[in-house]
């Protein structure tokens, strides 16, 4: 199968590598040059534009940043969809709004191209290991046909409903994660200020009812003061904001989302965009480690 993969960021570079290692014929494209070198050594071809990447592809995948970047790459003249042949398929795996997914689905249908929204959960390590969880919107038969393309990247694929349902589920997922982690960061600082040891706090939380891979991952980042992005704060801020907009469209009263949106916006103003979203804890004035690594 000929696959076009567009967007070689933290996630896309690793997801496309999984496809190449699974033996697929992959052509990649990225806005900023130089990100495809490692993939080319593994056998990928590199295209000069989204349309060129799409030409001849049976399936095109995008893993970009947000609704605006996906629309810029996929829609319009010279865009990805225009480059696809009728009968081909397009799967967007970016976290976007359900409305964006529907817009992409309609544009694809006009070209005779099948469409799925298939956002993912699981971070950089899960992308590298091919262990992402996919939530998919679109026709069940299309998903059935395209499962072999998604399988090398994922440990589980859940069909959520029509186009847009995958994107809505992704917002539900990330809103839940952001809320749980924001409460954890606040609790962590509360314990620390009260004199509890950081290791003690983590030992209890990670052994109790809240124990989860996410808690361990973010707790470890905080103990090490390592905010190298696995999932950047700007993207979590974007996801919370998309959830707020979705709730507003449904006239749903959602005060916790609103508060999270304010906290992430504040973190963005403080220049934390490119750090992991665990850096939200810095809003509380987390003490840095001493020169010898102690606290
Ligand atoms: P990332 O490292 O920031 O990569 C973003 C990609 O989008 C890059 O290839 C970037 O190209 C491209 N891009 C951004 N704006 C563009 C534009 N206007 N036109 C064309 N290309 C553009 O992000 P990521 O962590 O891989 O995440 C990708 C998506 O998956 C996001 O929607 C994110 O919310 C979601 N997600 C992330 C994680 C995670 O843990 N990281 C987990 C689940 C879902 P350049 O190289 O040119 O900047």
């Amino acid at each position: 199968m000929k696959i076009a993969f567009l967007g070689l960021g933290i996630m896309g570079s690793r997801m496309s590598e999984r496809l190449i290692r699974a033996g697929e014929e992959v052509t990649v494209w990225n806005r900023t040059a130089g990100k495809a070198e490692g993939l080319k050594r593994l056998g990928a071809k590199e295209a000069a534009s989204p349309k060129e990447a799409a030409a001849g592809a049976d399936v095109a995948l995008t893993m970009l940043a947000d609704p605006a970047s996906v629309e810029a790459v996929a829609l319009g003249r010279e865009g990805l969809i225009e480059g696809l042949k009728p009968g081909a398929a397009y799967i967007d795996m970016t976290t976007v709004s359900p409305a964006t997914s529907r817009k992409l689905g309609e544009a694809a249908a006009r070209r005779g191209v099948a469409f799925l929204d298939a956002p993912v959960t699981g971070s950089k390590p899960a992308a590298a290991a091919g262990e992402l969880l996919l939530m998919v919107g679109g026709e069940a038969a299309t998903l059935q046909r395209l499962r072999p393309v998604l399988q090398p990247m994922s440990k589980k694929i859940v069909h959520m409903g029509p186009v847009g349902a995958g994107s809505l589920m992704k917002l539900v997922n990330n809103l839940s994660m952001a809320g749980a982690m924001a409460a954890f960061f606040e609790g962590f600082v509360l314990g620390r200020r009260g004199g509890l040891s950081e290791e003690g706090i983590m030992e209890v939380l990670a052994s109790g009812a809240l124990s989860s891979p996410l808690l361990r991952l973010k707790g470890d980042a905080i103990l090490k003061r390592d905010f190298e992005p696995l999932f950047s704060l700007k993207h979590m801020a974007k996801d919370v904001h998309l959830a707020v907009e979705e709730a507003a469209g449904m006239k749903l009263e959602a005060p916790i989302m609103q508060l999270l949106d304010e906290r992430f916006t504040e973190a963005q103003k403080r220049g934390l965009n490119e750090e992991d979203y665990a850096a939200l804890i810095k809003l509380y004035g987390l003490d840095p480690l001493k020169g010898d690594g102690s606290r």
Side-chain angles (χ1 to χ4, degrees):
M1 184 120 47
K2 287 190 177 172
I3 296 179
F5 199 108
L6 293 84
L8 305 177
I10 291 176
M11 300 295 282
S13 55
R14 290 165 177 82
M15 291 158 69
S16 55
E17 183 174 334
R18 293 289 310 174
L19 292 170
I20 298 164
R21 290 192 187 280
E24 303 288 4
E25 203 180 312
V26 181
T27 299
V28 296
W29 174 83
N30 193 66
R31 175 183 62 174
T32 305
K35 299 250 185 110
E37 295 314 312
L39 298 169
K40 284 194 317 202
R41 280 194 290 279
L42 294 176
K45 290 188 197 134
E46 185 176 17
S49 69
K51 193 172 175 184
E52 188 185 303
D58 301 305
V59 184
L61 298 104
T62 44
M63 190 55 164
L64 299 161
D66 51 17
S69 59
V70 181
E71 290 193 23
V73 167
L75 301 177
R77 295 191 64 197
E78 302 302 311
L80 168 70
I81 291 176
E82 196 181 276
L84 285 170
K85 60 190 177 203
Y90 170 30
I91 309 174
D92 178 38
M93 306 186 80
T94 316
T95 305
V96 298
S97 63
T100 301
S101 298
R102 288 191 289 270
K103 194 168 169 182
L104 295 171
E106 284 158 18
R110 282 195 292 276
R111 176 113 191 116
V113 166
F115 177 79
L116 297 175
D117 46 308
V120 315
T121 184
S123 203
K124 184 172 157 179
E131 290 180 351
L132 295 167
L133 166 59
L134 272 51
M135 45 220 105
V136 181
E139 285 180 18
T142 306
L143 172 57
Q144 194 54 26
R145 177 162 70 84
L146 296 173
R147 259 179 197 271
V149 176
L150 298 172
Q151 227 116 36
M153 298 181 280
S154 56
K155 64 172 181 188
K156 189 173 170 84
I157 301 172
V158 184
H159 185 225
M160 301 306 304
V163 168
S167 291
L168 178 59
M169 183 61 225
K170 175 63 186 169
L171 298 186
V172 170
N173 183 77
N174 278 26
L175 182 70
S176 310
M177 273 177 22
M181 287 300 102
F184 158 56
F185 300 153
E186 208 163 288
F188 184 93
V189 175
L190 173 73
R192 188 74 187 87
R193 290 275 168 85
L196 302 179
S197 81
E198 297 191 3
E199 288 78 4
I201 297 170
M202 282 319 301
E203 193 179 345
V204 172
L205 289 181
S207 311
L210 281 181
S211 171
S212 68
L214 181 65
L215 183 75
R216 269 181 251 114
L217 196 66
K218 299 305 167 192
D220 201 40
I222 291 165
L223 293 190
K224 293 184 180 148
R225 307 293 194 266
D226 176 4
F227 298 103
E228 170 87 23
L230 298 180
F231 181 29
S232 63
L233 190 137
K234 69 179 173 200
H235 289 324
M236 186 57 107
K238 173 251 312 179
D239 297 351
V240 170
H241 196 70
L242 289 175
V244 166
E245 286 179 345
E246 204 57 29
M250 293 177 191
K251 306 226 177 317
L252 171 70
E253 196 187 338
I256 292 177
M257 282 187 215
Q258 295 282 357
L259 191 56
L260 280 173
D261 195 24
E262 284 166 26
R263 297 301 281 169
F264 276 99
T265 304
E266 177 60 25
Q268 292 188 289
K269 282 190 198 143
R270 296 213 202 159
L272 301 175
N273 256 336
E274 303 303 330
E275 299 193 34
D276 191 86
Y277 79 88
L280 189 74
I281 198 170
K282 291 185 180 179
L283 292 186
Y284 296 95
L286 186 69
D287 306 323
L289 293 182
K290 301 197 177 107
D292 61 359
S294 68
R295 301 191 169 83

mmCIF file of all heavy atoms in Angstrom, residues 96-144:
data_model
loop_
_atom_site.group_PDB
_atom_site.id
_atom_site.type_symbol
_atom_site.label_atom_id
_atom_site.label_comp_id
_atom_site.label_asym_id
_atom_site.label_seq_id
_atom_site.Cartn_x
_atom_site.Cartn_y
_atom_site.Cartn_z
ATOM 1 N N VAL A 96 -8.146 17.862 16.614
ATOM 2 C CA VAL A 96 -8.845 19.042 16.084
ATOM 3 C C VAL A 96 -10.285 19.043 16.618
ATOM 4 O O VAL A 96 -10.689 18.122 17.328
ATOM 5 C CB VAL A 96 -8.861 19.038 14.532
ATOM 6 C CG1 VAL A 96 -7.446 19.102 13.968
ATOM 7 C CG2 VAL A 96 -9.590 17.812 13.983
ATOM 8 N N SER A 97 -11.049 20.042 16.256
ATOM 9 C CA SER A 97 -12.461 20.071 16.680
ATOM 10 C C SER A 97 -13.268 19.115 15.807
ATOM 11 O O SER A 97 -12.903 18.855 14.650
ATOM 12 C CB SER A 97 -13.017 21.482 16.528
ATOM 13 O OG SER A 97 -12.980 21.851 15.164
ATOM 14 N N PRO A 98 -14.397 18.618 16.325
ATOM 15 C CA PRO A 98 -15.271 17.780 15.493
ATOM 16 C C PRO A 98 -15.706 18.521 14.221
ATOM 17 O O PRO A 98 -15.812 17.911 13.157
ATOM 18 C CB PRO A 98 -16.469 17.499 16.410
ATOM 19 C CG PRO A 98 -15.925 17.635 17.795
ATOM 20 C CD PRO A 98 -14.875 18.704 17.732
ATOM 21 N N ALA A 99 -15.910 19.833 14.329
ATOM 22 C CA ALA A 99 -16.346 20.599 13.148
ATOM 23 C C ALA A 99 -15.262 20.573 12.068
ATOM 24 O O ALA A 99 -15.568 20.467 10.874
ATOM 25 C CB ALA A 99 -16.669 22.040 13.544
ATOM 26 N N THR A 100 -14.011 20.670 12.481
ATOM 27 C CA THR A 100 -12.915 20.586 11.498
ATOM 28 C C THR A 100 -12.924 19.218 10.823
ATOM 29 O O THR A 100 -12.768 19.114 9.604
ATOM 30 C CB THR A 100 -11.552 20.837 12.185
ATOM 31 O OG1 THR A 100 -11.587 22.127 12.782
ATOM 32 C CG2 THR A 100 -10.406 20.757 11.208
ATOM 33 N N SER A 101 -13.116 18.167 11.611
ATOM 34 C CA SER A 101 -13.158 16.814 11.022
ATOM 35 C C SER A 101 -14.279 16.707 9.992
ATOM 36 O O SER A 101 -14.088 16.148 8.909
ATOM 37 C CB SER A 101 -13.361 15.752 12.111
ATOM 38 O OG SER A 101 -12.293 15.773 13.018
ATOM 39 N N ARG A 102 -15.439 17.273 10.326
ATOM 40 C CA ARG A 102 -16.562 17.187 9.382
ATOM 41 C C ARG A 102 -16.249 17.963 8.095
ATOM 42 O O ARG A 102 -16.572 17.518 6.996
ATOM 43 C CB ARG A 102 -17.852 17.702 10.049
ATOM 44 C CG ARG A 102 -18.382 16.721 11.102
ATOM 45 C CD ARG A 102 -19.778 17.086 11.569
ATOM 46 N NE ARG A 102 -19.787 18.275 12.397
ATOM 47 C CZ ARG A 102 -19.660 18.262 13.735
ATOM 48 N NH1 ARG A 102 -19.532 17.121 14.387
ATOM 49 N NH2 ARG A 102 -19.687 19.386 14.416
ATOM 50 N N LYS A 103 -15.584 19.124 8.265
ATOM 51 C CA LYS A 103 -15.214 19.925 7.088
ATOM 52 C C LYS A 103 -14.246 19.132 6.195
ATOM 53 O O LYS A 103 -14.381 19.110 4.970
ATOM 54 C CB LYS A 103 -14.538 21.207 7.592
ATOM 55 C CG LYS A 103 -14.384 22.295 6.584
ATOM 56 C CD LYS A 103 -13.977 23.571 7.351
ATOM 57 C CE LYS A 103 -13.528 24.657 6.426
ATOM 58 N NZ LYS A 103 -13.092 25.850 7.157
ATOM 59 N N LEU A 104 -13.289 18.463 6.814
ATOM 60 C CA LEU A 104 -12.332 17.651 6.047
ATOM 61 C C LEU A 104 -13.064 16.500 5.359
ATOM 62 O O LEU A 104 -12.809 16.185 4.188
ATOM 63 C CB LEU A 104 -11.241 17.079 6.969
ATOM 64 C CG LEU A 104 -10.315 18.096 7.644
ATOM 65 C CD1 LEU A 104 -9.441 17.400 8.691
ATOM 66 C CD2 LEU A 104 -9.415 18.808 6.624
ATOM 67 N N GLY A 105 -13.991 15.872 6.092
ATOM 68 C CA GLY A 105 -14.742 14.740 5.549
ATOM 69 C C GLY A 105 -15.554 15.152 4.329
ATOM 70 O O GLY A 105 -15.625 14.421 3.329
ATOM 71 N N GLU A 106 -16.155 16.349 4.411
ATOM 72 C CA GLU A 106 -16.972 16.826 3.277
ATOM 73 C C GLU A 106 -16.093 17.123 2.066
ATOM 74 O O GLU A 106 -16.439 16.785 0.932
ATOM 75 C CB GLU A 106 -17.762 18.071 3.699
ATOM 76 C CG GLU A 106 -18.956 17.730 4.572
ATOM 77 C CD GLU A 106 -19.428 18.892 5.433
ATOM 78 O OE1 GLU A 106 -19.069 20.050 5.130
ATOM 79 O OE2 GLU A 106 -20.142 18.625 6.426
ATOM 80 N N ALA A 107 -14.939 17.762 2.313
ATOM 81 C CA ALA A 107 -14.022 18.077 1.202
ATOM 82 C C ALA A 107 -13.508 16.786 0.561
ATOM 83 O O ALA A 107 -13.403 16.684 -0.670
ATOM 84 C CB ALA A 107 -12.858 18.920 1.705
ATOM 85 N N ALA A 108 -13.219 15.790 1.389
ATOM 86 C CA ALA A 108 -12.738 14.512 0.865
ATOM 87 C C ALA A 108 -13.827 13.843 0.030
ATOM 88 O O ALA A 108 -13.561 13.341 -1.072
ATOM 89 C CB ALA A 108 -12.301 13.603 2.020
ATOM 90 N N ALA A 109 -15.067 13.862 0.539
ATOM 91 C CA ALA A 109 -16.187 13.220 -0.179
ATOM 92 C C ALA A 109 -16.386 13.855 -1.548
ATOM 93 O O ALA A 109 -16.661 13.157 -2.529
ATOM 94 C CB ALA A 109 -17.462 13.318 0.663
ATOM 95 N N ARG A 110 -16.232 15.190 -1.625
ATOM 96 C CA ARG A 110 -16.407 15.866 -2.928
ATOM 97 C C ARG A 110 -15.391 15.362 -3.938
ATOM 98 O O ARG A 110 -15.611 15.418 -5.137
ATOM 99 C CB ARG A 110 -16.268 17.396 -2.760
ATOM 100 C CG ARG A 110 -17.510 18.048 -2.170
ATOM 101 C CD ARG A 110 -17.504 19.561 -2.361
ATOM 102 N NE ARG A 110 -16.469 20.213 -1.585
ATOM 103 C CZ ARG A 110 -16.572 20.561 -0.303
ATOM 104 N NH1 ARG A 110 -17.690 20.327 0.339
ATOM 105 N NH2 ARG A 110 -15.580 21.141 0.328
ATOM 106 N N ARG A 111 -14.267 14.879 -3.464
ATOM 107 C CA ARG A 111 -13.206 14.380 -4.352
ATOM 108 C C ARG A 111 -13.329 12.861 -4.546
ATOM 109 O O ARG A 111 -12.512 12.244 -5.233
ATOM 110 C CB ARG A 111 -11.852 14.757 -3.740
ATOM 111 C CG ARG A 111 -10.642 14.272 -4.426
ATOM 112 C CD ARG A 111 -9.812 15.407 -5.039
ATOM 113 N NE ARG A 111 -8.789 14.822 -5.905
ATOM 114 C CZ ARG A 111 -8.737 15.002 -7.200
ATOM 115 N NH1 ARG A 111 -9.593 15.788 -7.810
ATOM 116 N NH2 ARG A 111 -7.801 14.427 -7.920
ATOM 117 N N GLY A 112 -14.298 12.243 -3.883
ATOM 118 C CA GLY A 112 -14.448 10.783 -3.996
ATOM 119 C C GLY A 112 -13.438 10.048 -3.125
ATOM 120 O O GLY A 112 -13.038 8.915 -3.398
ATOM 121 N N VAL A 113 -13.013 10.733 -2.043
ATOM 122 C CA VAL A 113 -12.005 10.160 -1.137
ATOM 123 C C VAL A 113 -12.681 9.824 0.194
ATOM 124 O O VAL A 113 -13.432 10.641 0.739
ATOM 125 C CB VAL A 113 -10.863 11.200 -0.921
ATOM 126 C CG1 VAL A 113 -9.978 10.831 0.249
ATOM 127 C CG2 VAL A 113 -10.029 11.336 -2.201
ATOM 128 N N ALA A 114 -12.431 8.636 0.730
ATOM 129 C CA ALA A 114 -12.998 8.250 2.030
ATOM 130 C C ALA A 114 -12.235 8.967 3.139
ATOM 131 O O ALA A 114 -11.043 9.248 2.988
ATOM 132 C CB ALA A 114 -12.871 6.741 2.209
ATOM 133 N N PHE A 115 -12.925 9.255 4.246
ATOM 134 C CA PHE A 115 -12.260 10.013 5.321
ATOM 135 C C PHE A 115 -12.540 9.414 6.701
ATOM 136 O O PHE A 115 -13.653 8.981 6.992
ATOM 137 C CB PHE A 115 -12.757 11.473 5.325
ATOM 138 C CG PHE A 115 -12.172 12.284 6.453
ATOM 139 C CD1 PHE A 115 -10.885 12.797 6.369
ATOM 140 C CD2 PHE A 115 -12.902 12.512 7.622
ATOM 141 C CE1 PHE A 115 -10.329 13.523 7.424
ATOM 142 C CE2 PHE A 115 -12.354 13.242 8.685
ATOM 143 C CZ PHE A 115 -11.071 13.744 8.576
ATOM 144 N N LEU A 116 -11.513 9.408 7.532
ATOM 145 C CA LEU A 116 -11.674 9.060 8.953
ATOM 146 C C LEU A 116 -10.982 10.112 9.798
ATOM 147 O O LEU A 116 -9.895 10.580 9.432
ATOM 148 C CB LEU A 116 -11.011 7.712 9.278
ATOM 149 C CG LEU A 116 -11.520 6.447 8.607
ATOM 150 C CD1 LEU A 116 -10.616 5.270 8.992
ATOM 151 C CD2 LEU A 116 -12.974 6.152 9.019
ATOM 152 N N ASP A 117 -11.571 10.493 10.939
ATOM 153 C CA ASP A 117 -10.807 11.222 11.958
ATOM 154 C C ASP A 117 -10.354 10.153 12.958
ATOM 155 O O ASP A 117 -11.173 9.370 13.447
ATOM 156 C CB ASP A 117 -11.601 12.351 12.616
ATOM 157 C CG ASP A 117 -13.019 11.978 13.044
ATOM 158 O OD1 ASP A 117 -13.763 11.448 12.202
ATOM 159 O OD2 ASP A 117 -13.372 12.208 14.217
ATOM 160 N N ALA A 118 -9.048 10.132 13.215
ATOM 161 C CA ALA A 118 -8.502 9.079 14.080
ATOM 162 C C ALA A 118 -7.446 9.657 15.012
ATOM 163 O O ALA A 118 -6.268 9.305 14.942
ATOM 164 C CB ALA A 118 -7.907 7.952 13.227
ATOM 165 N N PRO A 119 -7.860 10.576 15.904
ATOM 166 C CA PRO A 119 -6.885 11.118 16.855
ATOM 167 C C PRO A 119 -6.398 10.029 17.813
ATOM 168 O O PRO A 119 -7.018 8.965 17.910
ATOM 169 C CB PRO A 119 -7.662 12.213 17.574
ATOM 170 C CG PRO A 119 -9.092 11.870 17.400
ATOM 171 C CD PRO A 119 -9.204 11.132 16.101
ATOM 172 N N VAL A 120 -5.314 10.324 18.492
ATOM 173 C CA VAL A 120 -4.636 9.286 19.263
ATOM 174 C C VAL A 120 -4.453 9.722 20.705
ATOM 175 O O VAL A 120 -4.372 10.900 21.007
ATOM 176 C CB VAL A 120 -3.249 8.986 18.657
ATOM 177 C CG1 VAL A 120 -3.329 8.873 17.136
ATOM 178 C CG2 VAL A 120 -2.198 10.035 19.022
ATOM 179 N N THR A 121 -4.336 8.756 21.591
ATOM 180 C CA THR A 121 -3.851 9.054 22.927
ATOM 181 C C THR A 121 -2.727 8.086 23.251
ATOM 182 O O THR A 121 -2.638 6.994 22.697
ATOM 183 C CB THR A 121 -4.979 9.054 23.992
ATOM 184 O OG1 THR A 121 -4.422 9.454 25.237
ATOM 185 C CG2 THR A 121 -5.640 7.719 24.143
ATOM 186 N N GLY A 122 -1.842 8.542 24.162
ATOM 187 C CA GLY A 122 -0.558 7.869 24.352
ATOM 188 C C GLY A 122 0.439 8.890 23.844
ATOM 189 O O GLY A 122 0.158 9.576 22.866
ATOM 190 N N SER A 123 1.556 8.999 24.529
ATOM 191 C CA SER A 123 2.474 10.087 24.194
ATOM 192 C C SER A 123 3.648 9.569 23.365
ATOM 193 O O SER A 123 3.553 8.523 22.728
ATOM 194 C CB SER A 123 2.918 10.750 25.498
ATOM 195 O OG SER A 123 3.346 12.046 25.238
ATOM 196 N N LYS A 124 4.741 10.352 23.404
ATOM 197 C CA LYS A 124 5.931 10.029 22.594
ATOM 198 C C LYS A 124 6.378 8.551 22.733
ATOM 199 O O LYS A 124 6.576 7.886 21.717
ATOM 200 C CB LYS A 124 7.032 10.991 23.039
ATOM 201 C CG LYS A 124 8.321 10.950 22.327
ATOM 202 C CD LYS A 124 9.152 12.137 22.847
ATOM 203 C CE LYS A 124 10.619 11.951 22.656
ATOM 204 N NZ LYS A 124 11.384 13.125 23.154
ATOM 205 N N PRO A 125 6.483 8.002 23.960
ATOM 206 C CA PRO A 125 6.931 6.597 24.053
ATOM 207 C C PRO A 125 5.944 5.632 23.389
ATOM 208 O O PRO A 125 6.368 4.670 22.743
ATOM 209 C CB PRO A 125 7.013 6.341 25.562
ATOM 210 C CG PRO A 125 7.072 7.695 26.202
ATOM 211 C CD PRO A 125 6.313 8.615 25.295
ATOM 212 N N ALA A 126 4.643 5.886 23.541
ATOM 213 C CA ALA A 126 3.647 4.984 22.941
ATOM 214 C C ALA A 126 3.671 5.101 21.417
ATOM 215 O O ALA A 126 3.459 4.110 20.702
ATOM 216 C CB ALA A 126 2.247 5.315 23.467
ATOM 217 N N ALA A 127 3.943 6.306 20.910
ATOM 218 C CA ALA A 127 4.038 6.477 19.451
ATOM 219 C C ALA A 127 5.231 5.683 18.928
ATOM 220 O O ALA A 127 5.146 5.013 17.890
ATOM 221 C CB ALA A 127 4.183 7.954 19.103
ATOM 222 N N ALA A 128 6.338 5.742 19.649
ATOM 223 C CA ALA A 128 7.553 5.021 19.218
ATOM 224 C C ALA A 128 7.338 3.508 19.256
ATOM 225 O O ALA A 128 7.854 2.779 18.405
ATOM 226 C CB ALA A 128 8.731 5.420 20.102
ATOM 227 N N ALA A 129 6.557 3.043 20.234
ATOM 228 C CA ALA A 129 6.361 1.598 20.403
ATOM 229 C C ALA A 129 5.180 1.068 19.590
ATOM 230 O O ALA A 129 4.918 -0.140 19.595
ATOM 231 C CB ALA A 129 6.149 1.288 21.882
ATOM 232 N N GLY A 130 4.452 1.943 18.906
ATOM 233 C CA GLY A 130 3.268 1.489 18.162
ATOM 234 C C GLY A 130 2.153 1.075 19.098
ATOM 235 O O GLY A 130 1.402 0.140 18.828
ATOM 236 N N GLU A 131 2.028 1.786 20.243
ATOM 237 C CA GLU A 131 1.038 1.394 21.246
ATOM 238 C C GLU A 131 0.032 2.496 21.543
ATOM 239 O O GLU A 131 -0.411 2.685 22.672
ATOM 240 C CB GLU A 131 1.766 0.969 22.529
ATOM 241 C CG GLU A 131 2.501 -0.339 22.317
ATOM 242 C CD GLU A 131 3.236 -0.812 23.549
ATOM 243 O OE1 GLU A 131 3.330 -0.056 24.526
ATOM 244 O OE2 GLU A 131 3.733 -1.950 23.494
ATOM 245 N N LEU A 132 -0.299 3.269 20.515
ATOM 246 C CA LEU A 132 -1.276 4.337 20.709
ATOM 247 C C LEU A 132 -2.681 3.759 20.785
ATOM 248 O O LEU A 132 -2.951 2.674 20.252
ATOM 249 C CB LEU A 132 -1.187 5.334 19.545
ATOM 250 C CG LEU A 132 0.138 6.098 19.447
ATOM 251 C CD1 LEU A 132 0.262 6.802 18.103
ATOM 252 C CD2 LEU A 132 0.281 7.085 20.603
ATOM 253 N N LEU A 133 -3.556 4.506 21.455
ATOM 254 C CA LEU A 133 -4.983 4.180 21.461
ATOM 255 C C LEU A 133 -5.654 5.142 20.488
ATOM 256 O O LEU A 133 -5.488 6.356 20.600
ATOM 257 C CB LEU A 133 -5.528 4.357 22.888
ATOM 258 C CG LEU A 133 -7.037 4.389 23.079
ATOM 259 C CD1 LEU A 133 -7.690 3.101 22.587
ATOM 260 C CD2 LEU A 133 -7.361 4.595 24.553
ATOM 261 N N LEU A 134 -6.372 4.588 19.517
ATOM 262 C CA LEU A 134 -6.999 5.421 18.481
ATOM 263 C C LEU A 134 -8.503 5.480 18.690
ATOM 264 O O LEU A 134 -9.129 4.458 18.969
ATOM 265 C CB LEU A 134 -6.724 4.823 17.100
ATOM 266 C CG LEU A 134 -5.441 5.232 16.367
ATOM 267 C CD1 LEU A 134 -4.208 5.090 17.226
ATOM 268 C CD2 LEU A 134 -5.290 4.426 15.092
ATOM 269 N N MET A 135 -9.067 6.676 18.547
ATOM 270 C CA MET A 135 -10.525 6.825 18.614
ATOM 271 C C MET A 135 -10.971 7.350 17.262
ATOM 272 O O MET A 135 -10.474 8.373 16.798
ATOM 273 C CB MET A 135 -10.927 7.735 19.776
ATOM 274 C CG MET A 135 -10.114 8.980 19.916
ATOM 275 S SD MET A 135 -9.738 9.419 21.632
ATOM 276 C CE MET A 135 -8.012 8.946 21.717
ATOM 277 N N VAL A 136 -11.864 6.608 16.628
ATOM 278 C CA VAL A 136 -12.089 6.840 15.197
ATOM 279 C C VAL A 136 -13.523 7.261 14.893
ATOM 280 O O VAL A 136 -14.479 6.685 15.397
ATOM 281 C CB VAL A 136 -11.748 5.554 14.407
ATOM 282 C CG1 VAL A 136 -11.952 5.764 12.912
ATOM 283 C CG2 VAL A 136 -10.314 5.125 14.688
ATOM 284 N N GLY A 137 -13.634 8.282 14.034
ATOM 285 C CA GLY A 137 -14.931 8.688 13.502
ATOM 286 C C GLY A 137 -14.969 8.403 12.011
ATOM 287 O O GLY A 137 -13.976 8.597 11.314
ATOM 288 N N GLY A 138 -16.127 7.967 11.513
ATOM 289 C CA GLY A 138 -16.264 7.661 10.087
ATOM 290 C C GLY A 138 -17.053 6.382 9.917
ATOM 291 O O GLY A 138 -17.512 5.781 10.902
ATOM 292 N N GLU A 139 -17.219 5.963 8.670
ATOM 293 C CA GLU A 139 -18.012 4.745 8.426
ATOM 294 C C GLU A 139 -17.274 3.506 8.906
ATOM 295 O O GLU A 139 -16.056 3.382 8.695
ATOM 296 C CB GLU A 139 -18.300 4.616 6.931
ATOM 297 C CG GLU A 139 -19.374 5.583 6.482
ATOM 298 C CD GLU A 139 -19.673 5.457 5.000
ATOM 299 O OE1 GLU A 139 -19.319 4.427 4.393
ATOM 300 O OE2 GLU A 139 -20.258 6.408 4.468
ATOM 301 N N ALA A 140 -18.021 2.595 9.527
ATOM 302 C CA ALA A 140 -17.412 1.372 10.069
ATOM 303 C C ALA A 140 -16.696 0.585 8.968
ATOM 304 O O ALA A 140 -15.605 0.042 9.176
ATOM 305 C CB ALA A 140 -18.474 0.506 10.735
ATOM 306 N N ALA A 141 -17.299 0.570 7.767
ATOM 307 C CA ALA A 141 -16.698 -0.212 6.670
ATOM 308 C C ALA A 141 -15.370 0.408 6.233
ATOM 309 O O ALA A 141 -14.425 -0.308 5.881
ATOM 310 C CB ALA A 141 -17.667 -0.273 5.488
ATOM 311 N N THR A 142 -15.291 1.748 6.279
ATOM 312 C CA THR A 142 -14.027 2.417 5.908
ATOM 313 C C THR A 142 -12.952 2.063 6.932
ATOM 314 O O THR A 142 -11.808 1.759 6.582
ATOM 315 C CB THR A 142 -14.237 3.953 5.857
ATOM 316 O OG1 THR A 142 -15.326 4.230 4.993
ATOM 317 C CG2 THR A 142 -12.998 4.662 5.360
ATOM 318 N N LEU A 143 -13.331 2.102 8.199
ATOM 319 C CA LEU A 143 -12.361 1.740 9.247
ATOM 320 C C LEU A 143 -11.900 0.293 9.068
ATOM 321 O O LEU A 143 -10.704 -0.002 9.162
ATOM 322 C CB LEU A 143 -12.992 1.940 10.637
ATOM 323 C CG LEU A 143 -12.152 1.415 11.807
ATOM 324 C CD1 LEU A 143 -10.764 2.056 11.837
ATOM 325 C CD2 LEU A 143 -12.865 1.665 13.143
ATOM 326 N N GLN A 144 -12.848 -0.579 8.772
ATOM 327 C CA GLN A 144 -12.496 -1.991 8.595
ATOM 328 C C GLN A 144 -11.450 -2.140 7.487
ATOM 329 O O GLN A 144 -10.445 -2.827 7.642
ATOM 330 C CB GLN A 144 -13.786 -2.771 8.249
ATOM 331 C CG GLN A 144 -13.670 -4.275 8.361
ATOM 332 C CD GLN A 144 -13.166 -4.733 9.732
ATOM 333 O OE1 GLN A 144 -13.330 -4.047 10.738
ATOM 334 N NE2 GLN A 144 -12.501 -5.878 9.760
#
